[in-house]
Amino acid sequence: MSGEAKAKTILTGVKPTGAPHIGNYVGAIRPALRLAGEYAQSYLFIADYHALNAVRDAEALRHDSYEVAACWLALGLDPSKTVFYRQSDIPEIFELTTILAAVTPKGLMDRSHAYKASVDKNREEGRDDDADINMGLYTYPLLMAADILIAQADIVPVGKDQVQHIEFARDMAGYFNNTFKQVLKLPEYKLEAGPHGAILPGIDGRKMSKSYNNHIPLFMESKARRKLVMKIVTDSKTPDEPKNADESVIFQLYTHVADPAEVAGMREAFEKGGMGYGDAKQKLYDALEKTFEQPTQIYNDLMANPARIDEMLEAGAQQARKIARETLSMTREAVGLKKLA
Ligand code: ADP
Ligand code: TRP
């Protein structure tokens, strides 16, 4: 860990969007947990107000928020090291959003990829440009900038699709600082997966994704997990035939959940011949069980006791609100509003 990394603050928001799968774990959750451990200060929050732009079912939003919290806790998020909270518990974020709105040109929102993609879709479908686009979606980058700036974050790990949002947050901080006073810290993004970042295949060989319904959920009963693993597509090579390990979905998944010696063993057995796909699937299943059995238990325990989750998130919110109030007070003062007491 470099001294520089140590001194910095890292922040990430996760939208509550349903049960995560192994691809999410390997591509997003595990790297974020690793990174959190490398920085002096780390913040991770559930972006429930962001989800509200799309969710219209109160029970679903409630459930999904608990689910995402339980998931991160089960996978090793340590709330004594990472400040873990609900966005909706930090009212200062929403006040900062209003202040930022006053210095943000409308044109910036018009250029947002997410908004433009929705407009393009409407055009393709021959509908009015702004059909079904609510103001929450339109001003999504404003709220996201407030999430980041309120915590004075240095680094925001994101996927490629989110890079523009961090650039916008920098722009907004710049507008504010130039208009009033140097108060807001300009954040930097850090791409979650480098150019060699792994994309995990799903059971049908395409990219694992909820939208293809080819995913292996992280938390499930052993029997159901085994059934899914047994459904993974393979070619029709017999056990004795040598196989190209890197072309096998089973092997690719195995590399992420087995230890290096086991991975080397499967590669060798594939390449030499003698390892059938059935055996390989059993090994993959065993490795998945070993990796996710305990997290599944923690996850189930937490989901059975949402009051415990609330307690942890509320404690996190209290901590996050300290810096949030500090930042908000400075910005209020800078624009000519009353400082917070
Ligand atoms: P999905 O495609 O299942 O809806 P999301 O788009 O919600 O998944 O992805 C959430 C996070 O998980 C993103 O950071 C993304 O990069 C990561 N992720 C999703 N699918 C994969 C995959 N198959 N391999 C690696 N990372 C993935
Ligand atoms: N927009 C992010 C996503 O869709 C979630 C998010 C909201 C976020 N606020 C954030 C991510 C602040 C990083 C920092 O995944």
Side-chain angles (χ1 to χ4, degrees):
M1 186 194 317
S2 75
E4 199 194 356
K6 261 191 210 162
K8 290 191 170 173
T9 294
I10 188 164
L11 171 141
T12 316
V14 284
K15 272 201 291 188
T17 50
H21 53 69
I22 300 172
N24 301 140
Y25 173 64
V26 170
I29 301 174
R30 190 164 61 182
L33 287 171
R34 276 200 194 126
L35 262 185
E38 292 173 12
Y39 286 81
Q41 184 67 260
S42 67
Y43 293 93
L44 197 132
F45 68 93
I46 301 169
D48 46 4
Y49 259 113
H50 280 289
L52 185 61
N53 299 322
V55 182
R56 293 293 173 262
D57 174 342
E59 206 35 63
L61 182 59
R62 217 178 332 268
H63 174 270
D64 290 355
S65 298
Y66 282 125
E67 188 169 63
V68 73
C71 161
W72 282 79
L73 290 164
L75 293 170
L77 183 141
D78 177 351
S80 72
K81 297 202 177 110
T82 292
V83 182
F84 187 40
Y85 54 99
R86 282 191 174 92
Q87 180 187 34
S88 57
D89 282 342
I90 317 291
E92 291 79 8
I93 292 174
F94 310 101
E95 192 171 335
L96 183 61
T97 304
T98 303
I99 296 179
L100 293 176
V103 293
T104 302
K106 170 179 171 284
L108 197 72
M109 299 297 101
D110 290 334
R111 288 201 296 280
S112 157
H113 297 325
Y115 167 65
K116 283 195 341 198
S118 302
V119 170
D120 287 347
K121 189 160 171 276
N122 278 337
R123 286 188 186 160
E124 266 165 38
E125 290 169 4
R127 305 200 304 159
D128 181 78
D129 274 10
D130 281 336
D132 287 337
I133 299 180
N134 57 53
M135 285 301 289
L137 173 74
Y138 184 61
T139 61
Y140 189 107
L142 261 181
L143 179 57
M144 182 156 162
D147 292 333
I148 297 167
L149 300 175
I150 200 91
Q152 301 174 24
D154 296 289
I155 309 282
V156 185
V158 286
K160 264 206 224 107
D161 61 322
Q162 297 294 316
V163 167
Q164 189 196 40
H165 287 145
I166 313 306
E167 287 169 345
F168 280 9
R170 291 175 65 89
D171 291 343
M172 290 178 218
Y175 301 143
F176 183 93
N177 290 346
N178 292 334
T179 309
F180 297 105
K181 195 174 162 190
Q182 296 286 325
V183 165
L184 296 173
K185 190 188 268 185
L186 271 56
E188 277 170 36
Y189 64 81
K190 183 174 175 62
L191 276 179
E192 251 163 18
H196 305 295
I199 294 292
L200 264 66
I203 60 170
D204 62 357
R206 291 184 293 172
K207 177 192 171 204
M208 187 180 292
S209 172
K210 278 193 287 274
S211 37
Y212 294 149
N213 200 22
N214 63 355
H215 58 295
I216 305 180
L218 288 184
F219 307 120
M220 62 193 313
E221 293 292 322
S222 305
K223 253 191 172 162
R225 183 178 286 135
R226 189 161 194 285
K227 230 172 132 183
L228 270 182
V229 170
M230 294 302 156
K231 273 174 46 187
I232 292 174
V233 287
T234 61
D235 56 30
S236 51
K237 289 204 172 83
T238 62
D240 288 340
E241 282 178 80
K243 303 169 183 68
N244 182 338
D246 297 308
E247 281 173 7
S248 160
V249 172
I250 308 167
F251 181 75
Q252 287 177 52
L253 294 177
Y254 194 63
T255 60
H256 296 284
V257 285
D259 63 44
E262 291 172 321
V263 173
M266 185 181 286
R267 177 185 286 284
E268 200 188 325
F270 262 152
E271 288 173 359
K272 278 214 300 232
M275 161 96 69
Y277 289 124
D279 283 354
K281 284 178 178 177
Q282 181 63 41
K283 283 193 166 24
L284 171 61
Y285 165 74
D286 290 341
L288 287 170
E289 276 291 293
K290 204 167 127 200
T291 309
F292 296 114
E293 196 181 8
Q294 203 194 3
T296 300
Q297 204 176 339
I298 301 173
Y299 172 84
N300 288 337
D301 288 350
L302 285 166
M303 287 305 278
N305 190 1
R308 176 86 193 97
I309 301 178
D310 283 332
E311 223 173 80
M312 283 192 254
L313 292 174
E314 278 157 24
Q318 271 189 26
Q319 255 182 294
R321 286 192 72 186
K322 284 188 202 144
I323 185 137
R325 281 182 68 81
E326 228 178 74
T327 310
L328 182 63
S329 189
M330 288 191 296
T331 52
R332 283 179 56 127
E333 192 189 21
V335 302
L337 295 165
K338 196 163 66 62
K339 263 169 72 170
L340 296 177

